Amino acid sequence: YNGPVKVTGGAGTGKTVCALHRVKYLVDKAGVFAAPVLFTTYTRSLTHYLRETIQSLGITADQVEIANIDKLILDLANNTQYSIFDTKVGYLTADQEKKIWIQAIEAIPTRFSEEFYFAEFNEIIVPLGVESLEAYHVASRVGRTTRIGRKDKEEIWQVVTEFQRQKAGNYSKTELCILLSTFFEKQKIKPFSSIVCDEIQDFSNPELRLLRSLAEEKENDLFMVGDPYQNIYKKTQNFSKAGISIKGRRSRKLKINYRTTEEIKHLAMKVVSEVPVEDFDGNPENMKGYLSLMHGDEPGYLTFTTPEEEDQYLLDKLNQFMINDLINPGEICVCSRTNYGVEDTKKLLNSAGISYTDLSSLKKTDNAVKVSTFHNMKGHEFKIVLVRGMSAENIPFKHSQYDQLTEKERLQ
């Protein structure tokens, strides 16, 4: 391809498989002394799967670097070859950053929440390089759902100034992305010959801009796969703003689902079909022509009068699946919406003597039931999925600022 390529498709359409074979093609095409290909994704749990799978294609560690975006950012920032910073650096986690926002709000009372400030800072102020109230007054806020006026901005900027003071030289993840992007945009020699990115819908614009800066703009430079309907981190992407140009036949869509039964796919699409979803350049996305090749039972939904009743059903079901080795326990996943739910599942399985492994753990057991949050499951595949605690109280999850969200934000 003469430049960046975007491949989209619903769950189970083979996006990751397509990306893996793209890596193989690029590695075979590259010269002996070429810089490695980068294969990146968003979640850490998926990178373990990618490392195991890519070896079967005959690709060696020196030919491709596999890293989730968080690890990539830190590796680049602390690489002595570039010496971008004088000392070893890290960045504030989202939770750490929000705690500082809470402290700033306590120091300067405001009607806006820490969730608002976190998003405003990382989606508008940092990416646009806003460093003064005057610049903030004229900054474009396209994509932000909360309307604010001139007086609001004056109030917000006071809190932003206090936040900057309290974080005392520490970087947010977005700030570090921007600093790295600026550095590598000026370099003639790039770290990677080509970049393949999976789960592109989870990346922010600053992260996309960083990827763009890491490979020379040339033939076969960027290959990106994802599904706008699976954007679960509330990221608003715009390839154009990140300096990525997708034109003509360099945008493709996969429509055949090889993993999910038509019955499961139909139920899932009923849930999201009325939700407005954008592609990666601000245009409406749709799932026309999306179909599954397999058929099976309708997804089951059971209600219980007590948590103990639900627990007993879960244990009985697991034993039923595993008796006489009818199914490998490693092909079963028990998932929950929250980390608390996952920990509760672990205690339950442990008390029943059922071996399990957390999908987010670095150490995994092949013949053990997988436990996971919804977020960590993304990109993985199982024969059987059991969802615990499926109730109106926690799905969608209502954090402390839920009542202040717009209707669009609640749908996300």
Side-chain angles (χ1 to χ4, degrees), residues 200-203 205 208 231 235-239 279-280:
I200 195 71
Q201 73 280 348
D202 296 332
F203 287 68
N205 280 336
L208 292 175
N231 183 338
K235 303 289 179 66
T236 303
Q237 297 97 344
N238 189 301
F239 282 177
D279 66 4
F280 304 117

Side-chain angles (χ1 to χ4, degrees), residues 27 274 277 286 410 412:
V27 166
E274 298 302 320
V277 174
N286 67 73
R410 290 182 184 183
Q412 291 177 327

Side-chain angles (χ1 to χ4, degrees), residues 74 79 96 122 129 134 136 149 152 155 164 168 181 183 187 192 213-214 235 245 253 329 349 362 372 376 385 393:
L74 293 177
N79 190 321
Q96 289 170 333
N122 289 291
E134 291 72 23
Y136 187 39
D152 291 325
E155 175 187 319
Q164 296 277 30
S181 300
F183 174 83
Q187 301 303 304
F192 303 104
S213 73
L214 299 177
K235 303 289 179 66
S245 176
K253 183 178 288 190
L349 298 182
L362 293 175
S372 177
N376 265 332
V385 174
E393 290 183 1

Side-chain angles (χ1 to χ4, degrees), residues 176-190:
L176 200 51
C177 271
I178 298 298
L179 288 169
L180 290 171
S181 300
T182 302
F183 174 83
F184 285 107
E185 283 164 358
K186 298 175 182 177
Q187 301 303 304
K188 292 184 178 179
I189 299 177
K190 304 292 186 178

Side-chain angles (χ1 to χ4, degrees), residues 4 6 185 205-206 208-209 212 217 222 224 236-247 279-283:
K6 175 189 74 171
E185 283 164 358
N205 280 336
L208 292 175
R209 178 184 164 189
R212 172 66 280 177
E217 293 190 36
L222 296 178
M224 301 165 292
T236 303
Q237 297 97 344
N238 189 301
F239 282 177
S240 299
K241 289 183 178 179
I244 300 172
S245 176
I246 305 291
K247 296 180 180 179
D279 66 4
F280 304 117
D281 259 321
N283 304 308

